[in-house]
Amino acid sequence: MFCVSGRFPQRLYLSILLLAGVLMLAGSVQAQKTRPPEAIPRKAWEEAVKKHKGSGPPLLIVHPQREMVLYGDQVRFAGCTIPGSQITVNGLEVDLYPNGAFVGMAPIRPGSNTLAFRSTLRGQSTSYEVWVRRPEPLEPVPAEPLLIDESRDLEPSKEAFLLPGDSLLVRFQGSPGGAAWFTIGDSRQRNDMAEKGTGVYVGSHTVETVDDWNDSPVTLHLKGHSGGKDRVVSVVAPGHLTTGVGRVYQTIVTTEDDAGLYTDTSAIYRLTSVSHDVMLQSTGRFSGFCRVLLGADHEVYVKSTSVQVLPEAGPTIDAPVLGGMIREESSDPGTQVLSFPLSWQGVIQTWPPLVILADEQATSVAVSVWGVSGPEFSQDQPGLIRSIHAKTDLGGRWRLHLDLDTDRLWGYEAFFEEARLVVRLRSAPAPGSATERPLLGFKVFLDPGHGGSDPGAIGPAGLREADANLEIALRLADRLRAAGATVLLTRGKDEYVKLDKRVEMIAASGADLLLSIHNNSTPSGSNPLDSAGTISFYYHAHGKDFAREIYDALVAETESPRREKGVRWHAFRPMRRSTQLPSALAEVLFLSHPEDEMRLLDSAYLDSVSLGLYKGLAAFALKDTPLAGTPVPQAVLAAGRSPGAAAGAKSVAVEMKHSDGGKTRVRAGK
């Protein structure tokens, strides 16, 4: 990420290293005023300085990486050198920020592009080059010789399993002006294709009930004039075709614990997730997806990489039976638990697909289970759940609808455990009464993003996102503890924690709130100076107000400008899979913007960030309680000011044991 060049005297090298440590300038480069100590180590910059062996000033290039491939006509660049240096990119001088950071945009053309960086201080220079490749636009396939270009997207590209009425898309690129068609298997039936654009041939075949294909190749043909006479060239497409004749579905089994079931092949909206070893009925396989039939008429899509197709003679799926509802006791008066025993008629036992959703206002919850038979009833009752309605619709979906007697649904979950379906709902926790410890009794889970081998985004001056996230989390944790809360962290040091592990820790903790802490970065082709400031995210309906409180308080406390869309929906996995509590994610600032990065290096600014996050969290937790709107306790104001990660804070990630004693749970969640 950095480059050095030349030989140098030992004393000069030591002098330059001394400059790197003490000449942190504020204001303009010409001001030459000493900056206060930085609150977080800039590890990427420190590594560059440590490894520097040239006679010129150290030079760190954060972006772009060498040999990056980028589509577009510009690429952003970012890096850092000694304040007071002169930095040029491809011979053009670039302004330095007070800490030596620099950013900008460079034009790129099709082919290989060189970005030559040069930093000069007191007549000594350091150079570094980065190569960025912009793919050449594809030229039309030449008319001579006649050919089908096998290096360009041939369709079908993957194995396809289709039912009568489904269409097989066929496409290739070849010499223009020809006559094209395709055949399937040993059939001589000609399926004509049309030329859509220069040399792009497209056709389709709608599967009929008489089509009986089994792993049959699709052969592409192109006829044209070449070499003074008419010729025909043929190529077999990568994907073969199987049709469902006799047996209208294939049995597939999931091979991972978070296999998404999507509404379509864009894979944008995930209806739910299913766990490992769940058997499903696939009614089609194409474009990298399996089409799955839920019940009699509800179709969803799962990625082919998440499942395995069982042999044709494999097991069929037995429909389980749900028994009558049981109200279970809960030690928490704000929690209500319902369960339904589950039994199977046959030998094969597999969990059915399960979805639990709250409405947009979080005033009702619906549980849907496909491929089961269950009880049908309606009843009213006192408590958190005002009324219960259960029925099976015509599509084979058993649906449990719960109307709630609260306007603050705190969490919900549905899962299979020990041959039963369990549904659990939570209302808002009751806070204590002490104004000096307003969050007494609350358990808050903080999730500082990235860490260890995953640094996250890196700012122009070398600040790693993982370090900024952790420092903010540790300062916030101090404030929350001062307010009486119990605080847990997915990590308390610079270590890598997998997303699935974070989900497990959160699920087993019994926490009341989840806040993930991140910092943002702009894409490679976007101007880093166009994006700055704060954004907060939510996924589930009962987390939207939490995200809004976090955003409002953080913007107010840090005096940041408000964004038009400051609160947004986002499918971040720990939030998506944590329905049992309100969750939000704060993108505090854009590390790709040099001024935002400098703010994150300022201890006073970090104090305002941690206080803003505290105020947003407390406002949400204490809403509609006697403690709502009470002043921030003095102990909370005084906390969070000591260096955290930078001074080796002793906070550690908490390892959780599953609350069910290690027994397997199959959860519903997106």
Side-chain angles (χ1 to χ4, degrees), residues 380-612:
D380 298 332
Q381 63 175 43
L384 172 60
I385 303 174
R386 183 174 56 223
S387 62
I388 305 174
H389 309 276
K391 68 175 183 177
T392 302
D393 60 25
L394 296 177
R397 175 184 63 168
W398 182 78
R399 193 167 187 267
L400 181 71
H401 186 88
L402 308 173
D403 290 314
L404 309 180
D405 191 17
T406 178
D407 57 359
R408 292 204 79 195
L409 174 63
W410 200 260
Y412 55 88
E413 55 185 334
F415 53 88
F416 293 111
E417 179 185 53
E418 296 182 335
R420 63 191 181 125
L421 167 64
V422 180
V423 180
R424 179 178 295 150
L425 278 72
R426 300 174 66 190
S427 58
S433 57
T435 57
E436 290 304 308
R437 292 171 64 82
L439 296 181
L440 186 65
F442 278 88
K443 185 183 290 187
V444 180
F445 216 125
L446 301 181
D447 175 35
H450 306 284
S453 60
D454 175 17
I458 300 178
L463 175 61
R464 306 188 323 159
E465 182 193 351
D467 300 327
N469 298 343
L470 180 59
E471 180 67 24
I472 292 169
L474 294 177
R475 292 182 181 228
L476 175 58
D478 287 344
R479 294 193 190 277
L480 292 171
R481 292 189 185 104
T486 299
V487 182
L488 307 173
L489 295 100
T490 51
R491 65 182 183 96
K493 57 184 179 181
D494 186 21
E495 63 177 337
Y496 175 67
V497 182
K498 293 182 178 180
L499 288 179
D500 287 339
K501 178 63 176 177
R502 296 175 192 244
V503 171
E504 292 175 4
M505 295 170 68
I506 295 163
S509 68
D512 299 307
L513 288 167
L514 166 63
L515 179 61
S516 290
I517 298 171
H518 284 252
N519 281 275
N520 222 328
S521 183
T522 194
S524 296
S526 300
N527 192 327
L529 301 182
D530 289 343
S531 298
T534 300
I535 305 174
S536 70
F537 296 91
Y538 69 97
Y539 186 84
H540 298 289
H542 60 298
K544 187 173 183 178
D545 286 346
F546 184 26
R548 183 177 291 110
E549 294 284 6
I550 289 293
Y551 176 78
D552 289 344
L554 188 53
V555 167
E557 191 64 32
T558 59
E559 299 181 349
S560 299
R562 295 185 66 87
R563 302 174 67 97
E564 182 179 352
K565 296 181 179 179
V567 181
R568 306 178 185 180
W569 180 90
H570 181 62
F572 181 60
R573 192 183 306 176
M575 288 197 303
R576 171 173 61 80
R577 299 194 63 186
S578 300
T579 62
Q580 73 276 15
L581 77 176
S583 60
L585 183 149
E587 293 276 9
V588 178
L589 289 176
F590 274 79
L591 259 179
S592 50
H593 196 300
E595 294 179 4
D596 274 10
E597 182 187 28
M598 286 191 291
R599 291 185 181 97
L600 291 170
L601 292 167
D602 182 354
S603 185
Y605 187 84
L606 293 174
D607 281 341
S608 66
V609 169
S610 64
L611 184 57

Side-chain angles (χ1 to χ4, degrees), residues 251-270:
T251 300
I252 60 176
V253 60
T254 53
T255 56
E256 57 186 48
D257 286 330
D258 189 30
L261 300 185
Y262 300 93
T263 56
D264 55 44
T265 55
S266 68
I268 295 176
Y269 182 72
R270 182 188 296 239

Side-chain angles (χ1 to χ4, degrees), residues 8 117 280 301 338 412 447 464 476:
F8 60 97
F117 298 88
L280 301 167
Y301 298 83
L338 308 175
Y412 55 88
D447 175 35
R464 306 188 323 159
L476 175 58

Side-chain angles (χ1 to χ4, degrees), residues 159-161 184-185 211-217 240-243 250 312:
E159 304 303 311
F161 171 70
I184 303 173
D211 290 337
D212 188 5
W213 308 116
N214 184 18
D215 196 29
S216 299
H240 290 192
L241 173 63
T242 299
T243 55
Q250 291 178 323
E312 188 172 346

Side-chain angles (χ1 to χ4, degrees), residues 373-385:
S373 59
E376 299 192 7
F377 62 91
S378 293
Q379 60 179 250
D380 298 332
Q381 63 175 43
L384 172 60
I385 303 174

